[in-house]
């Protein structure tokens, strides 16, 4: 977690750690020993088994990592246009904001703050709930629900009984979620209870989002600038209370989306060729690289913390606006209108 940018009451500094073993709950004390035993068991296995296990953990730890999220957004943009990009953005922002508020409110330490030797990956801030597990749970469950719809979208009638298909593949998605939780414990960045809460809250949010989608509310609300403005207002309240940069960047995202949706005015569906999809992908990557390079270049020439925060906020707004505008423009100018 970042330190409070205004010196707020919820700011956290490295001086607050490591946490004394005796000051944590008996549950966390028990979990520390379980994590240590787990790590030692894997480390003392054969070299081949250790390498395979570590590789599997690294793969299933990807949901929640920034590069993975970036690839997901790119796939949503080139595959489903502005609507897909907005839908995925609403999910990612909801998860990130909810996890951020819960972490700051519960203020629970990570395992390696007490026993540094447990740490096998970089992480900072509070640990409850596990943000990676929270994100993975929501993403995997949303993919589970939408997978047959995606398949039928690209090949009409490929799946005739969607309910049976979902029941058959559900264990695979549950396994992916569990392995992601195990990965966070193996890496020593979360307690077991952190991941369990992440899975629980993630499942509840996924069920809400699925119901939201089934009722048609998701499609209507992601194209309503007022809904994004309301989301911005909620995040603004949290920013004023917690005073952390991460939530300022989330606020910048929702404000940018609200503005772009207001300008676009209404949803339009188009179908584009694979050549155009490739062109869109290249355009988005170039836009992200140029804007990011410009933003990070400017951050190296400023001294003021306020100026640094402002530059990063403007960079986030530019990135979000450019990606949405490019996707909408290319789909509209090079696509074929779908008749509903």
């Amino acid at each position: 977690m970042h330190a409070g940018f205004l010196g707020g009451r919820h700011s956290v500094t490295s001086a607050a750690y490591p946490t004394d073993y005796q000051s944590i709950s008996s549950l966390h004390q028990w979990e520390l020993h379980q994590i240590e035993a787990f790590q030692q068991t894997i480390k003392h296995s054969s070299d081949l088994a250790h390498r395979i296990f570590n590789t599997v953990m690294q793969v299933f730890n990807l949901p929640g990592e920034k590069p993975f999220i970036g690839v997901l957004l790119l796939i949503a943009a080139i595959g489903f246009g502005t609507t897909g990009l907005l839908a995925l953005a609403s999910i990612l922002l909801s998860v990130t904001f909810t996890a951020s508020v819960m972490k700051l409110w519960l203020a629970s330490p990570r395992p390696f703050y007490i026993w540094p030797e447990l740490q096998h990956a970089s992480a900072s801030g509070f640990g409850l709930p596990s943000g990676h597990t929270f994100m993975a749970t929501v993403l995997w469950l949303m993919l589970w629900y939408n997978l047959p719809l995606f398949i039928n979208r690209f090949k009409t009638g490929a799946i005739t009984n969607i309910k049976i298909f979902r029941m058959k593949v559900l264990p695979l998605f549950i396994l992916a979620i569990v392995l992601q939780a195990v990965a966070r414990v193996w890496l020593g960045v979360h307690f077991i209870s952190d991941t369990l809460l992440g899975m629980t809250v993630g499942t509840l949010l996924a069920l809400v989002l699925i119901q939201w989608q089934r009722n048609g509310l998701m499609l209507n609300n992601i194209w309503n600038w007022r809904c994004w403005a309301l989301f911005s207002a909620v995040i603004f309240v949290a920013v004023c209370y917690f005073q952390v940069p991460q939530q300022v960047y989330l606020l910048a995202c929702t404000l940018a989306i609200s503005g772009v949706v207001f300008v676009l005015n209404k949803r339009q569906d188009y179908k584009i060729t694979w050549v155009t999809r490739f062109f869109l992908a290249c355009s988005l990557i170039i836009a992200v690289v140029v804007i990011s390079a410009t933003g990070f270049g400017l951050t190296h020439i400023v001294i003021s913390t306020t100026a640094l925060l402002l530059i990063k906020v403007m960079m986030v707004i530019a990135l979000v606006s450019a990606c949405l505008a490019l996707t909408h423009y290319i789909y509209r100018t090079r696509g074929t209108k779908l008749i509903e």
Side-chain angles (χ1 to χ4, degrees):
M1 190 194 80
H2 300 278
F5 63 94
L6 296 178
R9 55 189 277 191
H10 295 272
S11 63
V12 177
T13 65
S14 58
Y17 300 106
T19 303
D20 184 73
Y21 176 79
Q22 300 299 328
S23 68
I24 63 175
S25 67
S26 57
L27 173 62
H28 278 176
Q29 291 178 7
W30 176 82
E31 288 180 281
L32 282 173
H33 292 286
Q34 302 309 308
I35 295 171
E36 181 186 38
F38 175 43
Q39 290 184 349
Q40 290 303 316
T41 299
I42 300 301
K43 289 176 182 178
H44 291 145
S45 61
S46 67
D47 289 342
L48 178 60
H50 187 190
R51 287 198 299 269
I52 292 175
F53 181 83
N54 193 57
T55 300
V56 171
M57 292 297 96
Q58 293 295 335
V59 170
F60 282 95
N61 185 54
L62 286 175
E65 296 290 330
K66 291 179 182 178
F68 183 87
I69 297 300
V71 171
L72 277 186
L73 288 168
L74 181 63
I75 292 173
I78 63 177
F80 305 97
T82 320
T83 299
L85 198 53
L86 288 172
L88 181 57
S90 68
I91 295 171
L92 297 176
L93 290 169
S94 297
V95 172
T96 305
F97 176 66
T98 304
S100 173
V101 170
M102 292 183 69
K103 284 175 181 285
L104 293 166
W105 195 269
L106 297 173
S108 177
R110 295 177 183 269
F112 64 81
Y113 290 151
I114 301 104
W115 289 355
E117 63 273 15
L118 296 177
Q119 185 177 12
H120 292 158
S122 61
S124 60
F126 298 122
L128 184 66
S130 167
H132 278 64
T133 307
F134 189 176
M135 181 69 76
T137 301
V138 175
L139 289 178
W140 283 123
L141 289 179
M142 292 302 294
L143 178 58
W144 163 76
Y145 179 79
N146 285 284
L147 183 59
L149 306 181
F150 293 158
I151 294 174
N152 283 339
R153 175 188 175 98
F154 289 100
K155 188 177 181 181
T156 305
I159 299 176
T160 55
N161 195 320
I162 292 178
K163 290 185 178 179
I164 292 178
F165 177 84
R166 285 179 178 145
M167 291 303 297
K168 287 182 177 179
V169 300
L170 181 59
L172 296 176
F173 288 91
I174 294 176
L175 178 62
I177 294 169
V178 172
L179 287 175
Q180 207 284 337
V182 173
R184 300 308 285 172
V185 175
W186 156 249
L187 293 171
V189 295
H190 282 292
F191 288 101
I192 301 169
S193 53
D194 296 346
T195 63
L196 291 176
L197 182 60
M199 285 190 286
T200 301
V201 180
T203 300
L204 292 175
L205 179 58
L207 291 175
V208 171
L209 291 171
I210 288 172
Q211 188 62 35
W212 196 36
Q213 179 180 337
R214 290 180 62 185
N215 292 340
L217 293 175
M218 176 179 284
L219 190 59
N220 292 330
N221 290 335
I222 62 174
W223 277 100
N224 187 337
W225 71 269
R226 294 179 181 84
C227 291
W228 288 104
L230 178 61
F231 195 3
S232 300
V234 173
I235 298 177
F236 177 75
V237 173
V239 168
C240 293
Y241 185 75
F242 293 111
Q243 301 183 3
V244 291
Q246 182 193 48
Q247 293 180 350
V248 178
Y249 305 142
L250 295 179
L251 177 60
C253 286
T254 55
L255 286 174
I257 294 174
S258 178
V260 172
V261 171
F262 176 78
V263 172
L264 297 181
N265 193 25
K266 64 179 181 178
R267 169 192 174 203
Q268 289 182 320
D269 289 322
Y270 295 89
K271 183 178 181 180
I272 59 176
T273 64
W274 287 106
V275 174
T276 305
R277 293 180 198 276
F278 178 76
F279 175 76
L280 173 59
C282 293
S283 300
L284 290 173
I285 292 172
I286 292 172
V288 170
V289 170
V290 170
I291 294 172
S292 299
T294 303
F296 287 122
L298 291 173
T299 59
H300 286 85
I301 63 175
V302 299
I303 301 176
S304 168
T305 303
T306 302
L308 185 65
L309 179 66
L310 181 60
I311 289 172
K312 289 184 177 181
V313 167
M314 295 304 296
M315 182 175 68
V316 170
I317 292 175
L319 280 172
V320 173
S321 301
C323 289
L324 285 170
L326 267 173
T327 302
H328 184 79
Y329 175 77
I330 291 176
Y331 258 85
R332 182 172 60 85
T333 57
R334 301 197 175 200
T336 304
K337 186 75 171 65
L338 293 176
I339 300 176
E340 297 183 336

